[in-house]
């Protein structure tokens, strides 16, 4: 981070969470209407490396934590039907909290830093992943389960050998949506002082100079698309039976 | 979960008798039983069909055997051993299970589907592969299909795989819940015949559930006709049920055409055929006329046969006016039946061919006799047909 981050009252979010970069002299100033300044980009591309790595780590860890929790909750609700409505409502409430508010609300409790950001980001993934795992499991044909039980699989074997493999498309589908949206929301992790590409977006200088925003945003977008492509490939390989057509 | 896998490899193959001893199923604390004190003995190696209207408890009765439905009272013994004493999952691995919806695992290949139970039993890879290949051949599937997924197979092929999967670990008992119910009529008949042929080879004890009395008659060594409330109205061989229904319910369920249905239990060979006077090409017609004139002639037309005694056609009055028997008869042969044909099909051929008589050939194609509509109607009306079984329980095993 180029300089310290100002921390202001929550009411002044618009101005408050903005990096100082007054000492810099910006190129391209002759034409302030320029949306993108190539000279500046070439000179400053280095400063995006660390934030991009932080962003990647935030997303990877948050989705992994969110998946572990949501998956466990979904399996729990799979056996105990009565848990479904409260779990859906609970994860829904978490999902509905505005992101910046979430970060700010957590600060007094968990303090500044990466943990706070990971807690909030994971919480956002719960609803999507939980719901997709649940939908995937309930879409498994009853006849396959009946046959599995009738041939002597235990409940656990049915879950791991029949239900979960057949729910893979929905589960990975949920992971894809969760990952892509987490890449976007993770740019707000800067408000929890957790770094990430947000540091290159929410700076005072950027109010008049959008080049940095465009680069950071572009990196975030590429990151989201890459995550999505990787997960899609995983899904393809994990579900070969879905690629066949009736002959 | 390797810890849950059974590693013992059962060596005892064959079939076990199944005995229901007052097996009862009540749901909740309902006073009405879904299956009410069912007592049945199914001898080892026989097909017992549970048949009845929907809601009569036949599927529940079947599912109590592998404990996918837990009985409330009574017991079921397989080979003398109570199913209640067994761990449910292990018990089920010894019982083949085929359902109407087939229930193949969409994410596993055909070979992997068939290998499901051997895998649960912890068979070695080579043994499982050998058994899978053997079963694919047994059900007449192209070995190449072993690597395909269920979605790539037709409904009939899928149900064959369903049967193969149930047979994989050589179960002592097979449970089949309307296995051919979702298949189109033509393929259903083919699958039924294939299964009967298979059963003649493997001789499993089979519990077969259907709502179709025709299927029950065709498939069953014994039939348990069930009525609402899970009670058995009659438990007997198909022939007995057709000839001597226990009560009005069974009579209604079997249908008014039960006399005709009895024909499905017999083959042409089971009945005394008539003899037609035979005529050979080039034979003097005088000899043929002499045969026709004899008092014990049963068919009033001479049948032209070749030197191998294979039927060629019927000779008419005009043919006999010549000096020698012509090589081309006036009347075509019409329907030609096989001794192994099922009587119902034979009657259908007669009616379809608008023929009064049909020649019956043996396996070499030589004339074995003549079947007429009259013989069939006499058989259906004779008291002998009502009391004697006429080898009717000997189902066509092809």
């Amino acid at each position: 981070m180029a300089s310290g981050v100002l921390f202001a009252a929550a009411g002044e979010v618009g101005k408050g969470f903005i990096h100082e970069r007054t000492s810099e002299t910006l190129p391209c100033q002759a034409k302030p209407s320029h949306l993108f300044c190539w000279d500046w980009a070439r000179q400053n591309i280095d400063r995006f490396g660390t934030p991009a790595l932080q962003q990647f780590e935030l997303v990877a860890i948050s989705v992994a934590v969110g998946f572990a929790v949501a998956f466990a909750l979904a399996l729990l609700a799979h056996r105990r039907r009565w848990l479904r409505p409260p779990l859906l409502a609970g994860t829904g409430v978490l999902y509905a909290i505005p992101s910046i508010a979430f970060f700010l609300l957590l600060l007094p409790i968990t303090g500044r830093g990466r943990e706070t950001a990971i807690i909030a980001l994971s919480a956002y993934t719960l609803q999507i992943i939980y719901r997709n795992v649940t939908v995937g499991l309930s879409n498994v044909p009853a006849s396959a389960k009946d046959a599995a039980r009738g041939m002597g699989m235990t409940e656990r074997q049915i879950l791991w050998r029949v239900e979960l493999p057949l729910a893979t498309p929905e589960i990975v589908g949920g992971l894809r949506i969760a990952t892509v949206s987490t890449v976007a929301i993770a740019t707000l992790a800067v408000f929890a002082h957790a770094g990430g590409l947000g540091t290159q977006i929410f700076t005072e200088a950027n109010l008049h100079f959008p080049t940095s925003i465009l680069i950071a945003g572009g990196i975030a977008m590429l990151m989201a698309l890459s995550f999505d492509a990787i997960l899609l490939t995983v899904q393809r390989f994990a579900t070969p039976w879905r690629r066949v057509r009736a002959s | 979960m390797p810890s849950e896998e059974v590693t013992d490899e059962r060596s005892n193959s064959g079939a076990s008798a199944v005995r229901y001893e007052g097996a009862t199923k009540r749901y909740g604390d309902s006073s009405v039983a879904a299956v009410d004190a069912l007592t049945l003995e199914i001898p080892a190696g026989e097909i017992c069909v549970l048949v009845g209207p929907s809601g009569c408890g036949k599927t529940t009765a079947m599912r109590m055997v592998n404990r996918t439905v837990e009985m409330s009272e009574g017991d079921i013994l397989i080979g003398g051993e109570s199913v209640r004493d067994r761990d449910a999952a292990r018990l089920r691995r010894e019982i083949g299970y085929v359902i109407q919806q087939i229930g193949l695992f969409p994410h596993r290949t055909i070979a992997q589907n068939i290998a499901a139970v051997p895998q649960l039993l912890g068979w070695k890879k080579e043994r499982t592969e050998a058994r899978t290949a053997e079963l694919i051949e047994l059900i007449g599937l192209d070995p190449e299909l072993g690597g395909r997924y269920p979605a790539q197979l037709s409904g009939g092929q899928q149900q064959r795989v369903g049967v193969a999967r149930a047979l994989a670990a050589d179960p002592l008992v097979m449970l089949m819940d309307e296995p051919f119910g979702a298949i189109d009529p033509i393929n259903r008949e083919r699958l039924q015949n294939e299964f009967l042929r298979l059963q003649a080879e493997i001789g499993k004890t089979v519990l077969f559930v259907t709502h179709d009395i025709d299927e029950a008659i065709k498939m069953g060594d014994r039939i348990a006709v069930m009525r609402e409330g899970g009670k058995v109205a009659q438990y007997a061989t198909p022939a007995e049920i057709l000839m001597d229904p226990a009560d009005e319910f069974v009579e209604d369920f079997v249908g008014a055409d039960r006399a005709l249905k009895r024909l499905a239990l017999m083959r042409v060979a089971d009945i005394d055929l008539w003899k037609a006077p035979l005529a050979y090409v080039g034979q003097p017609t005088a000899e043929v006329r002499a045969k026709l004139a004899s008092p014990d002639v049963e068919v009033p037309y001479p049948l032209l046969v070749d030197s191998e005694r294979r039927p060629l056609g019927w000779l008419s009055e005009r043919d006999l006016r010549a000096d020698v028997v012509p090589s081309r008869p006036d009347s075509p042969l019409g329907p030609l039946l096989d001794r192994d044909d099922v009587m119902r099909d034979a009657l259908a051929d007669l009616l379809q061919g608008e023929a009064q008589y049909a020649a019956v050939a043996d396996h070499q194609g030589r004339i074995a006799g003549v079947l007429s509509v009259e013989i069939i109607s006499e058989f259906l009306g004779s008291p002998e047909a009502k009391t004697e079984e006429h080898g009717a329980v000997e189902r066509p095993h092809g």
Side-chain angles (χ1 to χ4, degrees), chain A residues 184-210:
Chain A
I185 306 172
T187 55
L188 300 176
V190 62
F191 293 104
H193 305 266
L197 287 166
T199 56
Q200 304 306 313
I201 293 172
F202 300 99
T203 67
E204 191 165 15
N206 287 349
L207 292 177
H208 309 289
F209 185 72

Side-chain angles (χ1 to χ4, degrees), chain B residues 163-228:
Chain B
V163 172
R165 182 173 67 172
L167 285 170
D170 207 6
L172 304 172
V173 177
M174 292 268 283
L175 306 182
M176 305 179 81
D177 189 0
E178 307 233 6
F180 311 129
I183 312 279
D184 65 272
I186 293 171
N187 273 303
R188 184 187 313 147
E189 200 172 328
R190 194 172 300 159
L191 282 167
Q192 288 169 341
N193 294 340
E194 277 177 22
F195 184 74
L196 286 175
R197 210 157 33 230
L198 204 62
Q199 167 68 1
E201 240 174 88
I202 60 181
K204 295 292 171 197
T205 310
V206 181
L207 264 88
F208 191 110
V209 165
T210 181
H211 62 268
D212 178 358
I213 184 68
D214 290 311
E215 184 169 59
I217 291 165
K218 179 169 183 181
M219 303 303 289
D221 295 304
R222 282 155 199 268
I223 298 176
V225 182
M226 293 183 69
R227 61 173 6 139
E228 217 144 308

